[in-house]
Amino acid sequence: MGSVEKVFSSNKHLKEVMLRVRELLPLVEKRGINLSTNLQDIKMYLRPVWIGSLMVRFLLKISPPFATMVYSHNNPEEAKSYGQDVLKVAKELNFKLPRLGI
């Protein structure tokens, strides 16, 4: 999309983000993170996608700190590095991530 703002302003792309995060949660668990101790942090991703994406859009409108946090993560090199790390770990653990092409 070219920018975080464009992703989060598109219902289609925001729903895809929600689905990709949901797909990554089992990988996080496989790495040894106990998600049950962080349910508040991931609850939004466990809801139906349309509800989670509405929640994100609503929070972006009513919470300037949340919007600043989301929109400040707009460094393409950093995002690419994170993505490469996730793919590397998934491959090492032989973990399938269909939405990310592995």
Side-chain angles (χ1 to χ4, degrees):
M1 288 292 299
S3 73
V4 173
E5 289 89 353
K6 288 181 182 177
V7 171
F8 282 84
S9 66
S10 163
N11 283 329
K12 175 184 170 188
H13 294 312
L14 184 52
K15 287 178 182 178
E16 184 62 29
V17 166
M18 303 296 287
L19 291 170
R20 287 181 184 204
V21 169
R22 186 182 295 172
E23 182 176 81
L24 290 169
L25 292 175
L27 177 62
V28 171
E29 283 185 310
K30 191 165 186 171
R31 292 192 65 218
I33 305 300
N34 182 354
L35 293 179
S36 66
T37 62
N38 298 298
L39 284 178
Q40 292 293 27
D41 295 336
I42 64 169
K43 192 182 289 187
M44 176 171 45
Y45 300 103
L46 302 177
R47 299 182 189 279
V49 175
W50 68 272
I51 292 174
S53 62
L54 281 175
M55 290 170 64
V56 169
R57 304 275 308 272
F58 179 72
L59 285 171
L60 288 169
K61 287 183 181 188
I62 68 161
S63 175
F66 180 72
T68 299
M69 179 190 72
V70 168
Y71 294 140
S72 68
H73 287 53
N74 205 14
N75 180 326
E77 293 84 21
E78 185 177 16
K80 184 177 180 178
S81 176
Y82 287 151
Q84 289 171 338
D85 287 345
V86 167
L87 294 176
K88 179 182 172 195
V89 168
K91 288 177 183 176
E92 288 172 358
L93 296 175
N94 196 29
F95 195 88
K96 302 294 180 210
L97 296 170
R99 291 189 175 278
L100 296 177
I102 63 168

